[in-house]
Amino acid sequence: MATTKLKTSIVDEEVTKEELSLVRSYLLLTFIHKVFERDCRVISKSGLFKTPQLYMELVSGATKKTSLMLQEVTRELSSHDLKITTVRQDQRGVEALYSCRGYQGEMNILWPGFRREMMLRMRAYLGLSTELSMLSREESATQLALTI
């Protein structure tokens, strides 16, 4: 499971679980949206598909879903006076610095958990099964490339 660490105990008291969930969703949706956009470009330019328009339509539909969801999460962040100030990634995972009603916080999500949650969400946005037994086989065979 992904780990989330907060730097100060004050933040634990002042930032709700719902607000932390919004930060997490924002990170996941941002990465997923960029992956879908990239995949759509690659499909259209690769020349490897006999019917690229079908695959592009599938991925494009998921891209639109993530875009709408990202807009909603952004509205929710704003309504909670929650601003994500910095997003960084390194070999360990993804880090977000944020401020919420004047309190500063940090969320760190390690790659294994982040990739797993991305894959679950991406499968759902594409209308595919999110059955865990299926995912464990696929994860061992494939890793997501998440350089943005």
Side-chain angles (χ1 to χ4, degrees):
M1 176 146 243
T3 60
T4 303
K5 291 189 223 173
L6 300 175
K7 290 289 184 188
T8 63
S9 61
I10 293 172
V11 173
D12 287 332
E13 297 167 11
E14 300 298 332
V15 179
T16 68
K17 287 183 181 182
E18 178 189 358
E19 290 164 337
L20 292 174
S21 179
L22 286 170
V23 172
R24 184 181 191 88
S25 286
Y26 176 84
L27 293 172
L28 285 159
L29 285 166
T30 299
F31 276 70
I32 289 167
H33 187 73
K34 289 181 180 183
V35 168
F36 280 150
E37 284 182 327
R38 181 202 165 280
D39 288 353
C40 209
R41 282 192 311 273
V42 168
I43 291 168
S44 72
K45 293 178 181 176
S46 73
L48 298 174
F49 295 85
K50 289 207 183 256
T51 56
Q53 63 278 11
L54 294 175
Y55 299 101
M56 286 175 50
E57 187 177 327
L58 181 67
V59 176
S60 183
T63 303
K64 289 175 187 168
K65 286 178 191 174
T66 59
S67 179
L68 290 172
M69 293 177 78
L70 193 52
Q71 288 174 11
E72 181 58 33
V73 167
T74 302
R75 274 193 291 276
E76 283 293 312
L77 288 169
S78 183
S79 75
H80 286 266
D81 194 22
L82 209 161
K83 293 175 185 67
I84 297 173
T85 55
T86 306
V87 175
R88 289 188 286 246
Q89 62 185 37
D90 61 20
Q91 68 278 4
R92 294 177 324 186
V94 177
E95 172 187 73
L97 304 178
Y98 61 86
S99 64
C100 184
R101 296 179 306 279
Y103 295 95
Q104 305 298 311
E106 178 179 329
M107 179 177 285
N108 294 295
I109 309 171
L110 300 177
W111 280 125
F114 196 78
R115 284 187 184 109
R116 183 166 183 74
E117 193 165 347
M118 273 185 69
M119 187 63 73
L120 281 169
R121 288 183 178 214
M122 289 172 78
R123 293 183 68 82
Y125 304 148
L126 289 166
L128 302 173
S129 169
T130 56
E131 193 177 310
L132 291 176
S133 62
M134 253 174 112
L135 289 177
S136 60
R137 286 192 307 260
E138 290 175 9
E139 275 186 351
S140 63
T142 309
Q143 286 278 328
L144 285 174
L146 296 176
T147 303
I148 297 177

